[in-house]
Amino acid sequence: MSRKSFGLIVLILMTAAMSITAPAALSKEPASVPTTTVNIKISVPDLKILLTPLTQSELAVEVDAWQRLVKDKVTEISRLQIQSKTVEGEEKQKILDQLTRLREERTALIDRFNAVLRELNAKGGDVATYEKYVKAVSGIDISSDDALSSWSAVRGWLTSKEGGIRWIFNIVKFILILLAFMIIANIVGAMARKSLTRASLSALLKDFIVNTTQKVVFILGLIIALSMLEVNIGPLLAGLGVIGFVVGFALQNTLSNFAAGFMILLYRPYDIGNFVTAGGVTGTVDSMNLVSTTIKTPDNQSLIVPNGQIWGDVITNVTGNATRRVDLVFGIGYDDDIAKAQKVLEDIVDGHNLVLKNPAYVIKVHELADSSVNFICRPWVRTGDYWTVYWDITRAVKERFDAEGIGIPYPQRDVHVYQMTE
């Protein structure tokens, strides 16, 4: 084979090899480059905006880049800490001041690193290892061997914009937001109460709506205020859901009271101010929540009755209607004039200004008892006038019967004595 032919064959083989490897080289994607670390002093809100469109794989690159920055800063701090132990005087103080500045820069980097971690976690990435690293390299090292360095670190943190000053502002914002939402909750509650004034709802339901509205607004404010303390609200809300399930399972009886409370609010068997017999208790309804009802007895005792006990028993609402019938019974002797007694009772009832004309009263001979002829006297009155009319008519009947010579018999027994004769 000639040289010329051999060279031609080698050239053909090299061309074929290059044609095979070139597409593979072209198809290989270049390594991803982090984009958010170009400006390491970028504000956290702006960083969050930059992170929003990134995919999970892209975020993983950003996380590694920010971790390297944190690691470099922590390494620099560690070296200076070792160096500070070998010097004294002004030189040591200079190193301590430099450490304060570096710790502030480390805190700023960690804030941005955490922002990237939260975004990666939200998009399904595993951040557990990174979070452990952040926890390990954060904070201030306090050593009893070097009191000056420890005090300098604490003082530096307290006076740092990324340390004590930052947390003072966070706490102030937390308190101000809580106070603001407390005021807003009261305003919203007042507006809700005013808007419900003309609604045909019970006072219990109105109070429940107003109180619930106020609490929802305050809880919203509390969540916003916690974010000022740099608390991650997402896991907190998820944890509250789990805690709610556990607490709900443990408090089954309380949940039954909740359900009964909703039923009472829905069907309105009584309202605030009503005189009721419910759950084995008699008194005036003072207040109610979803768990229990507070009832004041006539002698001014406050009784807290579970709603489940009330809803599972007979409820008697004595003052639930606008009018009531006063049931009275009066007895006269068998020798007295029935017609005269009837006329006296009618005159007394007709003459009382609190007795209603409609429905009409009823006065009838009702019973021939052992020692008396009993009349029923049943006038109708407004519910609030019940006891006034009851007491007035009872007194008037005694006085008029005495004046008219009509006797009011009392139980008596005739005793017959027989003498035995021998």
Side-chain angles (χ1 to χ4, degrees):
M1 180 183 295
S2 64
R3 288 183 181 178
K4 188 175 181 180
S5 300
F6 180 77
L8 182 61
I9 293 172
V10 172
L11 180 61
I12 292 172
L13 291 173
M14 291 177 63
T15 303
M18 291 177 63
S19 65
I20 294 173
T21 58
L26 291 173
S27 63
K28 184 179 180 180
E29 295 183 359
S32 299
V33 177
T35 58
T36 59
T37 55
V38 175
N39 177 16
I40 62 173
K41 294 184 178 180
I42 185 174
S43 67
V44 175
D46 289 345
L47 177 59
K48 290 179 180 178
I49 296 174
L50 290 179
L51 296 171
T52 301
L54 300 184
T55 63
Q56 180 178 332
S57 59
E58 291 171 332
L59 285 170
V61 174
E62 301 298 327
V63 166
D64 290 335
W66 282 103
Q67 186 182 35
R68 285 193 295 270
L69 290 173
V70 174
K71 178 185 175 183
D72 292 342
K73 190 63 64 175
V74 173
T75 301
E76 190 176 355
I77 291 172
S78 299
R79 289 173 179 171
L80 276 179
Q81 282 179 321
I82 295 173
Q83 186 179 348
S84 68
K85 295 181 179 181
T86 61
V87 296
E88 296 293 340
E90 294 182 1
E91 187 176 355
K92 179 167 185 162
Q93 187 60 50
K94 289 180 181 179
I95 294 176
L96 294 179
D97 293 339
Q98 189 177 358
L99 279 172
T100 299
R101 177 179 58 79
L102 291 176
R103 289 190 180 104
E104 185 174 342
E105 293 173 358
R106 179 196 60 184
T107 301
L109 288 173
I110 288 176
D111 288 342
R112 288 149 182 81
F113 185 29
N114 282 330
V116 183
L117 288 178
R118 285 193 290 269
E119 189 67 23
L120 177 59
N121 183 57
K123 293 178 179 176
D126 185 9
V127 299
T129 303
Y130 295 108
E131 289 177 342
K132 290 179 180 179
Y133 179 79
V134 170
K135 185 177 180 180
V137 301
S138 300
I140 303 174
D141 294 329
I142 305 297
S143 174
S144 58
D145 297 336
D146 192 347
L148 179 60
S149 297
S150 299
W151 167 243
S152 178
V154 173
R155 184 184 61 186
W157 183 87
L158 291 174
T159 58
S160 170
K161 292 181 180 179
E162 296 294 336
I165 295 176
R166 169 180 172 177
W167 276 98
I168 288 174
F169 279 109
N170 288 346
I171 293 172
V172 170
K173 287 187 287 186
F174 173 80
I175 295 173
L176 290 178
I177 290 175
L178 274 187
L179 292 176
F181 270 88
M182 287 176 64
I183 296 172
I184 293 172
N186 290 331
I187 294 174
V188 172
M191 293 174 62
R193 189 179 297 278
K194 185 176 181 180
S195 64
L196 294 172
T197 302
R198 298 182 180 179
S200 58
L201 302 174
S202 67
L204 285 174
L205 184 55
K206 290 178 182 178
D207 286 344
F208 172 74
I209 293 174
V210 171
N211 292 334
T212 302
T213 302
Q214 289 177 328
K215 290 176 181 177
V216 168
V217 173
F218 180 76
I219 291 173
L220 177 62
L222 179 60
I223 293 174
I224 295 175
L226 285 174
S227 67
M228 295 298 102
L229 296 178
E230 303 179 13
V231 176
N232 192 355
I233 304 301
L236 176 63
L237 294 178
L240 288 177
V242 175
I243 293 173
F245 174 79
V246 174
V247 171
F249 183 78
L251 302 178
Q252 297 182 45
N253 292 333
T254 301
L255 291 179
S256 68
N257 290 327
F258 270 95
F262 274 116
M263 297 299 290
I264 292 172
L265 289 173
L266 180 64
Y267 287 99
R268 298 185 291 175
Y270 55 78
D271 204 347
I272 293 176
N274 288 157
F275 191 88
V276 300
T277 297
V281 174
T282 299
T284 303
V285 178
D286 183 61
S287 63
M288 175 190 166
N289 54 46
L290 285 179
V291 178
S292 62
T293 298
T294 301
I295 296 177
K296 283 191 175 181
T297 62
D299 59 346
N300 205 32
Q301 297 183 59
S302 293
L303 305 179
I304 312 298
V305 187
N307 288 332
Q309 181 177 332
I310 293 176
W311 189 249
D313 200 358
V314 176
I315 300 173
T316 303
N317 192 338
V318 178
T319 59
N321 296 316
T323 59
R324 284 187 67 188
R325 190 183 71 186
V326 182
D327 288 355
L328 297 165
V329 178
F330 300 107
I332 64 174
Y334 274 92
D335 297 333
D336 293 319
D337 189 339
I338 292 178
K340 184 178 180 181
Q342 174 100 14
K343 183 65 170 61
V344 169
L345 293 174
E346 291 175 353
D347 288 345
I348 292 172
V349 174
D350 284 331
H352 203 293
N353 60 345
L354 296 180
V355 174
L356 300 177
K357 303 301 180 183
N358 187 26
Y361 62 81
V362 174
I363 299 176
K364 298 291 184 180
V365 175
H366 178 65
E367 181 185 19
L368 300 177
D370 292 340
S371 57
S372 64
V373 178
N374 293 335
F375 283 83
I376 58 169
C377 177
R378 295 176 176 174
W380 286 85
V381 299
R382 288 188 295 271
T383 300
D385 298 331
Y386 179 89
W387 288 109
T388 301
V389 173
Y390 186 100
W391 293 324
D392 287 352
I393 290 180
T394 300
R395 180 186 180 90
V397 167
K398 176 63 170 72
E399 293 174 348
R400 286 290 301 277
F401 275 11
D402 288 346
E404 298 291 339
I406 300 173
I408 300 177
Y410 47 85
Q412 54 185 327
R413 179 174 297 173
D414 293 335
V415 178
H416 301 274
V417 179
Y418 296 92
Q419 185 174 2
M420 300 289 296
T421 57
E422 295 181 359

